[in-house]
Amino acid sequence: MSDFFYRAVQLSTRFNKAYLLAQLIFVLLFFASYLVMMQPFLDIRDSDIASRFLIRGLIDGANALLLTHLLLRPVLKLYLVNATKKLQPILWYFLYLIGLSLLWSAASMLTAHLEFLKTTQIDTVSFNHQSQQVLMEFSQFNQWLLGGFNSLIVLLGWSMVYLFWHNMQQKKQLQQQMQQAQIQQLTYQLSPHFLFNALNSVRALIFEDQQQAAQTVTHLSELLRIHLQTQMRPVATLAEEWQTAEFYLQIEQVRLEQRLETFIELAEDCLTQKLPGLTVLTLIENAIKHGISPNAAPGWLKVKAEKTDRSVWVLSVSNSYEAASPFKGTGSSLNNLQQRLQLQLGDSIRWQQTKTDQQFEVRMELPYV
């Protein structure tokens, strides 16, 4: 029991903005329904009576807030959320609700017995029936039971809404975790492909210039360090992506020399935009391997990022393309990247591949956040 109280207290101190907003809406609805029920007994012209009814409504609303937050939410979250398909916990919770409802009703009656609020106590109701006035009186016991029934309806409704909301949050969180796992798995698939190409570049340099080869190995080690860090978090900013891709370009620039000319245009307002890890590196690696490296003639690579309107920015990577590449690729790296973008950003992306006799381009329209 002490463990439950400790966990309940800990839980009561943790809540998010969505829960606070939902509780605010709940209290406002409760207060509005209270005013509707009390309207026949309110005389707006008598400001003193009206203010006392308002004060009692505020007190009852505060009691509803405290009961749901301190006594309902912990029990629901700690015991009932994962046991909604079992009959026994549901029955015990229903009995618990009845007890809380009677407690709330008793607290409301005690509030009405305060000297300042005695005029808000309703123990007699009169109405006309067949041209005769009928007077109904409620004993203290009947008032307590009637108030308990009304409280039970409110608490039961709150519990059902909370369970539904919590279930939706769990499903959403599970979907996000599954998406992150898929993104991470797809990112891992890039590692052997990327490492193989980078090592081939270093291998070619060893026979040409050992000093440059040593410097390139240093670049490669730095690139691998950044690459490993990228795998730990599947999302990176465009600035971080370009830092990784720049190390790779330094390695390829040494190998290809004058055969590789680069044009980089990254708008400042796009550098903080987030992408799946290794997005830019994948596009650049694909461009060099299949477009520039197979050709003896000089080639060019262009990376451009710009904001096109308030909600969209564009990232494009294009390269020269003449001779067919000896590497018969499967297109897996670009398909991999497209899947990761789809998982992260959903249907808000637009992917376009354009291939001509002299140029290949990948253009992505992405939501600007």
Side-chain angles (χ1 to χ4, degrees):
M1 185 62 70
S2 60
D3 179 61
F4 167 74
F5 283 117
Y6 174 76
R7 294 168 65 191
V9 170
Q10 290 292 105
L11 181 61
S12 298
T13 59
R14 297 196 303 266
F15 42 81
N16 54 29
K17 292 181 179 179
Y19 173 76
L20 287 177
L21 179 60
Q23 282 293 77
L24 177 61
I25 294 173
F26 164 67
V27 172
L28 291 176
L29 289 175
F30 174 84
F31 188 68
S33 63
Y34 169 84
L35 292 179
V36 170
M37 287 191 298
M38 294 296 110
Q39 191 271 335
F41 310 102
L42 283 172
D43 187 356
I44 300 178
R45 292 170 296 181
D46 190 339
S47 59
D48 182 61
I49 296 295
S51 62
R52 295 186 186 191
F53 270 100
L54 289 177
I55 291 173
R56 183 178 175 183
L58 291 173
I59 294 174
D60 284 345
N63 287 337
L65 182 64
L66 292 174
L67 279 173
T68 53
H69 180 67
L70 298 177
L71 298 179
L72 275 192
R73 182 171 173 251
V75 175
L76 282 171
K77 196 155 188 175
L78 296 177
Y79 289 104
L80 200 65
V81 165
N82 297 320
T84 51
K85 294 183 179 180
K86 298 179 181 179
L87 183 60
Q88 187 174 0
I90 294 176
L91 291 176
W92 278 113
Y93 181 74
F94 186 72
L95 293 175
Y96 179 72
L97 275 185
I98 293 175
L100 281 185
S101 302
L102 295 175
L103 176 65
W104 186 9
S105 178
S108 180
M109 290 178 63
L110 288 175
T111 301
H113 278 83
L114 294 175
E115 188 65 32
F116 178 67
L117 298 176
K118 278 188 175 180
T119 52
T120 63
Q121 185 174 357
I122 302 171
D123 51 15
T124 303
V125 177
S126 63
F127 59 92
N128 293 324
H129 177 67
Q130 295 180 355
S131 302
Q132 293 183 354
Q133 190 175 31
V134 179
L135 189 66
M136 293 183 62
E137 294 186 2
F138 296 94
S139 65
Q140 293 289 323
F141 181 74
N142 288 336
Q143 290 181 52
W144 180 53
L145 288 181
L146 183 60
F149 178 77
N150 292 333
S151 301
L152 178 62
I153 297 299
V154 173
L155 297 181
L156 187 61
W158 189 94
S159 300
M160 293 176 66
V161 171
Y162 181 82
L163 286 174
F164 175 78
W165 174 79
H166 193 275
N167 186 48
M168 295 297 293
Q169 290 293 104
Q170 280 189 325
K171 286 183 178 179
K172 183 178 179 181
Q173 186 178 6
L174 181 61
Q175 287 175 348
Q176 289 175 345
Q177 290 174 349
M178 291 177 63
Q179 285 182 350
Q180 290 299 325
Q182 286 180 284
I183 292 173
Q184 197 73 44
Q185 183 181 11
L186 291 168
T187 304
Y188 287 151
Q189 291 175 8
L190 292 175
S191 300
H193 183 264
F194 152 75
L195 186 59
F196 175 78
N197 289 337
L199 288 175
N200 267 347
S201 299
V202 175
R203 178 180 177 277
L205 284 172
I206 291 175
F207 300 99
E208 298 177 6
D209 190 330
Q210 292 185 0
Q211 185 175 358
Q212 278 192 338
Q215 185 178 2
T216 304
V217 169
T218 302
H219 290 156
L220 178 58
S221 64
E222 185 66 20
L223 178 58
L224 288 174
R225 182 186 65 81
I226 297 174
H227 180 261
L228 290 173
Q229 291 176 347
T230 302
Q231 286 191 336
M232 297 300 293
R233 46 189 181 87
V235 178
T237 63
L238 177 61
E240 293 168 336
E241 281 288 285
W242 172 243
Q243 183 186 20
T244 305
E246 200 170 18
F247 278 107
Y248 180 78
L249 279 175
Q250 288 174 355
I251 295 173
E252 292 298 279
Q253 190 74 64
V254 172
R255 182 173 71 91
L256 297 173
E257 298 178 342
Q258 291 84 8
R259 291 170 55 204
L260 174 61
E261 187 176 6
T262 57
F263 302 92
I264 311 300
E265 300 178 24
L266 303 178
E268 287 286 337
D269 54 359
C270 294
L271 293 178
T272 57
Q273 295 302 297
K274 293 185 177 181
L275 294 163
L278 307 180
T279 294
V280 177
L281 177 61
T282 301
L283 293 172
I284 290 177
E285 183 187 24
N286 185 79
I288 292 177
K289 180 180 178 181
H290 297 286
I292 299 172
S293 184
N295 295 282
W300 54 266
L301 171 73
K302 184 175 182 180
V303 181
K304 186 176 182 180
E306 61 179 342
K307 185 179 179 183
T308 55
D309 59 41
R310 293 179 59 184
S311 59
V312 177
W313 70 289
V314 173
L315 174 64
S316 64
V317 176
S318 54
N319 59 273
S320 57
Y321 179 86
E322 293 183 12
S325 171
F327 304 104
K328 294 186 177 180
T330 61
S332 59
S333 60
L334 293 184
N335 291 334
N336 180 307
L337 176 57
Q338 195 170 359
Q339 286 181 50
R340 290 190 295 142
L341 282 165
Q342 192 74 31
L343 285 169
Q344 181 182 327
L345 303 174
D347 297 329
S348 56
I349 70 164
R350 184 179 178 186
W351 176 284
Q352 184 178 7
Q353 289 181 209
T354 306
K355 182 178 179 181
T356 65
D357 292 337
Q358 297 182 338
Q359 175 180 319
F360 179 80
E361 179 183 25
V362 175
R363 187 177 187 273
M364 297 174 291
E365 293 184 7
L366 306 165
Y368 189 90
V369 181

